[in-house]
Each structure stands twice: as structure tokens, then as C-alpha cells.
Amino acid sequence: MMVSQPIDHAALLPLYLAAATAAVALFAGRLAKACTMIGLSISAGAAIWIGVGADRRTFAVGEWHSYIASDATMGLAALFALLTVLVAALSARAGAEYCFLLAASAAGGITLAGSGDLITLIVALETLTVPLYVLVTRPGRDGAEAGVTFLIASIASSATALMGAALLYAASGTVHFAGLATELAGAHPGLVAAGVALLLGGLAFKLAAAPLHAWAPLVLERAPLPIATYLASASKLGGAVAITWVVYFGLAPQAGLPAGIVLAALSVASIAVGNVAALVQRRTVSLLAWSGIAHAGYVLAPLAALATAAGRGAPDAAASAALAYAVFFVLLEAGAFAALTAVRPDTETETATATATAEKGRTPEPLLSRGDLSAPDLKVNAGTLRSSTELSHPRATIESGGPQGSDLKASAGNITELAGLFRTAPLPATVFLIAVVGLSGLPPALAGTFAKIVILEFLASSAVWLAIIVAAGAIVGLAYYLPLARTVLLGRGTPTPKARFTIAVAVIGLVLLAIGLAPQTVLEFTRISQ
């Protein structure tokens, strides 16, 4: 006799709405951007509505469930949807295919937030990631290289995570987190250790944790800035959620020691590599990318303590601290990248204009006064722009050893280009300053301050050595965050382009102010318990 499995459609409503948004956007033509923003906003609202009610669970196998709609999971689902809305708002020309891919990726994030087993989690994480293979690629050699790099690295990490999940299934006989928490007790230790190492290693790629970080600086530099915003926020949030769910719900009770060793190694390596590399960066996006690797280490630190004996006394506090830090971090990153997007010139439009002008036999207008680095006959040497009459090729050259290509310059300008931004574009400059000071962990950007406090408060009572490393990393971070903030606030530079996307930048700025003034809002919805 066939028994049908009951499905709680109310629990899946945010996912349904996100998937429907993707389908509508594909056929909406010029209305695709508006449809995407409206549809995902409604999906976020539905997630919040479900989250404030009683917990819902669906796709049951006995007492285990594959999808769970709780306060924390629905809050994260709403955050995935709203971050995608922000990226759509920052996209100047969002065609139907572009919006379809964004909405499909958001659907993956929403599914990931509620996942209750390894298969659902990995499939959701791939749904979040696969559309980005196309979205990170922009016209030109550099864009193609970024897309191929991200594709190859992501496929390798996904295969690694799947192999780890297969080994854990072989050891326990289940893929449900609740089942792993009990069934791994009598499993073969070597099989469990190998499965844990492979699974966490594959998932750590999504968070850009060292030594699985090499893709992040290159891809973030060469991707269009709105997609770099998505990679630095929603995509990294996906990696943080995946690791937190696996460790807290599945591995910590019975596979703590192997998971703790792997996570501690990833955390320390990320903090060291990210901070040291960020110190020598002279390009804005590169600095944010490398510092983001250090922040991945901060996210993993309480999970490392949780998985070992040191943090077993307060598992809820450990997981909540990691999740809260991840939410604070991705919102601050989204604010920084949104502000950069607002003041960078629209390179694709300018390139098309220059091409059309050249075809008519006229010389394009110089673009240097507008802050564009893709203008012809320019030479960039260690952050200094100068005229180069010797160069007849219309592409700029970077003598400092960085990647070449005019399509790169709009996304990865030098830090010196932001000099005096506060005078010429006060709104995006203010949002950028709030984000950068917040990432450093200093007031008055209290969101970052509370994020650091949450992490250190837990580690101080469970793993003092990790607390010392996190504190040292935060101090090193001041050496590159504060000069960046000073350049924006006090520097004197050439006039910048007129700021765009005013509403989107203002909204993310207000969000950063709100979570700084009321951090308990984030702490409340990231509080999780079994």
C-alpha cells in the first residue's frame, strides 16, 4: 500500500513565491526588474509572517524532517530574499535572464535556510551558487576568467562536500541532521573523521575560508559590482548557514572532535591569511575581499569551540553567536559594496558609447574627469593615474602586477580614487564609512561592535586561545580599515561621478543604523535551539 507523505504548503510558501518570481521574471521583459523586486519582497514578508507563528516542519521521515520553518530559519529566508532585492535595485540594466537567475539563486537561499538534512542543504546551496556562474561573467577576457575560476572552484568544492556527505551516510545510515546527532555514536571513527573533513571543507569554500579562499579576491574584483555585492553578502551567508546547521544540528553531539579540529584550523588560517593579505592591498574591492576571508574565520571560531569539549556546555550560545556575526557581517559588506556601486561609473554604457562614437569616426570624450579607469590612453602604476601618449592601445595597463582589462577597472578601483568621496557624494560615502567602521568593530558603527562582542563573549568562557586570536585579528584589521575610512572622509581627490541608486543606498544605510541602534533585533532572530 502506497502512503503519501503530507506536505505543509504554508511552511514552503516563501519558497513557492521565490520560484514563481523567477518564472515570471523570465517572461516579464522590461518589467523583469520590478517583478523580481516585488515578488521577492512579498516572499520575504511571507517568511516573516510564518516565522512569528508556531514552528512548522514538513517532509517527515519518522520523527526527522527535511524542511523546518522556525523563527531563525524564516528570518534567514527573509534576509536572503531582501539581499537579492537590494542587488536587483543596484543593477542598472537587469534583463529578464539576469532577474531570473537572481530570483532562482534567492530560492536556493530560502531553501537552504530551512534545510534539515544533508541532501536538501547541498542541493539548496548549489541552487544558490549555480546562477552565479553566469552572473559573475562580464564581457571581456577578465570577466570570462572570473566566471571560469568560480565555476571550476565551486564544482570541486561541491564534489568534495558530496563525498563527505556520502561517507557520513555510510557511517550513520541517514542524511538527516537529527539522525546524524544520534547515529554517529557507534560509527567507525576513521570514516566519520574523513566524512566530516570533506563535508566541512567543501562547505567552507562557500564562505571563502582559508585555505579554500583563492577564488574570492579574483572573482569579486572582476565580477560586476552588483554581483560582487551578492557574492559578498547572500552567497557568504549561505556558506555560514550551511556550516552552522551541519555542525550544530548534526555533528557536534557525536562527531565533535574531528569537526572541532577542522573548524579550528579553518578559523585560524582564515584570520591570519585574510588580515595579512588585506594589509598590502591598494584596491578597494581586493581589500574588502581579503578582509572578508578574515571575517569568515571569526564566524567559524565559536563553531570550532562548540564542536570540541570546550564549548559543549553552551551549544545554543555558540551557534547563535556564529549566526549573529554572519548576519552583521553580510549586512555591513552589502552596505560597503552598495556604496561602491553607487559611485562607480556605468562602464558598459560608456564602452558602448565609445564604440559607437569610434564607428562614426570621432574620438571619444576623455573619461578621467568622471573617475573611470577604462578610458583610453591611461596608464595605472601602483594606484597613480597619468597620461600615456606612448600607449596607442585603447586598454589601460596595470604595471603593479594586477590583472588587466578595461572591464576590470570599474569594479576594482584603487583606494586613492575614493579620496574626498565624503565631499562629492555624501550619502554613499556615509554608508561606506558606517560599513567600514562597523567591519573594524569600532563605534559609532555599533553593528560591528556588537558582532565582535558576541563572538568574544562566548569564546572568553569556552576557548580563550581562540578569543585571543580573534581579538588580535580585529586589532590588525584596524590597520587597513581606518586608513580606508580616513581616505573617504578627509582625502582630497578628483570629482567623482554623480551617485546613482540613491534609494537603494539610503535603505541599506538605514538598515545598518537600525541594527547598530537595536542589535537585539538581530540577536533575537538568530537565537537558535534544538
Side-chain angles (χ1 to χ4, degrees):
M1 177 180 174
M2 181 178 295
V3 179
S4 61
Q5 188 179 57
I7 300 176
D8 187 343
H9 294 286
L12 298 171
L13 181 60
L15 174 59
Y16 291 158
L17 291 171
T21 298
V24 170
L26 188 59
F27 300 100
R30 295 183 178 179
L31 298 176
K33 180 176 177 178
C35 291
T36 299
M37 295 176 65
I38 294 171
L40 291 179
S41 297
I42 296 173
S43 177
I48 294 172
W49 173 68
I50 294 170
V52 298
D55 290 356
R56 293 175 174 271
R57 301 169 186 268
T58 189
F59 299 118
V61 176
E63 297 181 351
W64 304 332
H65 296 80
S66 294
Y67 192 85
I68 302 167
S70 63
D71 296 351
T73 61
M74 289 298 97
L76 291 168
L79 183 55
F80 277 114
L82 293 176
L83 286 171
T84 311
V85 171
L86 173 66
V87 172
L90 293 172
S91 303
R93 290 172 306 282
E97 295 85 356
Y98 181 95
C99 291
F100 165 76
L101 292 171
L102 271 183
S105 183
I110 292 169
T111 307
L112 173 64
S115 59
D117 64 61
L118 291 176
I119 300 304
T120 303
L121 182 139
I122 292 176
V123 170
L125 198 57
E126 288 307 296
T127 306
L128 172 66
T129 304
V130 168
L132 300 178
Y133 300 160
V134 178
L135 292 175
V136 300
T137 305
R138 61 190 303 157
R141 184 187 65 187
D142 297 311
E145 184 178 352
V148 171
T149 299
F150 187 63
L151 170 65
I152 294 174
S154 184
I155 288 175
S157 70
S158 300
T160 302
L162 279 171
M163 179 60 72
L167 292 179
L168 290 177
Y169 174 74
S172 64
T174 181
V175 294
H176 288 82
F177 298 148
L180 293 174
T182 57
E183 300 298 327
L184 287 177
H188 189 281
L191 193 60
V192 172
V196 167
L198 290 172
L199 176 61
L200 293 180
L203 296 179
F205 163 86
K206 310 297 183 182
L207 193 56
L212 308 163
H213 64 284
W215 66 272
L218 184 145
V219 173
L220 285 174
E221 263 200 301
R222 303 186 181 191
L225 268 176
I227 302 306
T229 305
Y230 193 82
L231 283 168
S233 56
S235 181
K236 286 198 173 184
L237 180 62
V241 170
I243 295 176
T244 303
W245 276 192
V246 167
V247 173
Y248 175 67
F249 291 110
L251 299 181
Q254 303 297 341
L257 183 58
I261 293 173
V262 172
L263 290 170
L266 291 171
S267 176
V268 173
S270 299
I271 294 171
V273 171
N275 278 311
V276 171
L279 284 171
V280 299
Q281 298 305 313
R282 296 295 178 267
R283 304 182 73 78
T284 311
V285 174
S286 289
L287 188 150
L288 293 175
W290 283 105
S291 65
I293 294 167
H295 287 284
Y298 304 147
V299 172
L300 296 176
L303 296 177
L306 164 63
T308 59
R312 292 292 177 80
D316 296 350
S320 298
L323 201 57
Y325 191 93
V327 171
F328 280 121
F329 161 64
V330 300
L331 287 173
L332 290 167
E333 285 276 282
F337 276 92
L340 285 179
T341 305
V343 298
R344 292 293 182 208
D346 192 345
T347 312
E348 292 176 9
T349 299
E350 290 170 352
T351 302
T353 303
T355 302
T357 306
E359 288 176 354
K360 294 179 180 179
R362 295 194 299 270
T363 303
E365 229 178 74
L367 300 173
L368 179 56
S369 62
R370 297 158 59 195
D372 187 22
L373 290 181
S374 61
D377 298 331
L378 290 180
K379 194 172 185 180
V380 183
N381 184 0
T384 303
L385 293 176
R386 65 177 183 268
S387 242
S388 178
T389 54
E390 307 93 330
L391 290 177
S392 58
H393 197 281
R395 295 173 66 91
T397 303
I398 300 178
E399 289 191 343
S400 58
Q404 298 183 14
S406 60
D407 58 340
L408 169 60
K409 310 301 186 295
S411 295
N414 292 328
I415 293 174
T416 53
E417 295 173 55
L418 299 179
L421 183 65
F422 189 75
R423 294 185 179 89
T424 57
L427 175 60
T430 301
V431 174
F432 188 77
L433 286 170
I434 293 173
V436 168
V437 175
L439 288 170
S440 72
L442 293 179
L446 296 177
T449 306
F450 281 107
K452 293 288 194 305
I453 290 174
V454 168
I455 293 287
L456 292 173
E457 181 181 15
F458 171 77
L459 292 177
S461 61
S462 59
V464 177
W465 67 276
L466 263 178
I468 293 172
I469 292 175
V470 168
I475 293 172
V476 173
L478 299 178
Y480 51 82
Y481 280 131
L482 294 185
L484 177 59
R486 181 185 180 280
T487 299
V488 173
L489 186 61
L490 302 176
R492 295 181 180 276
T494 56
T496 57
K498 182 180 179 181
R500 304 174 296 161
F501 312 121
T502 303
I503 296 176
V505 174
V507 168
I508 188 62
L510 290 174
V511 170
L512 295 184
L513 286 175
I515 63 174
L517 295 174
Q520 65 273 15
T521 305
V522 174
L523 300 178
E524 183 63 32
F525 99 78
T526 54
R527 184 175 293 121
I528 56 178
S529 60
Q530 298 207 41

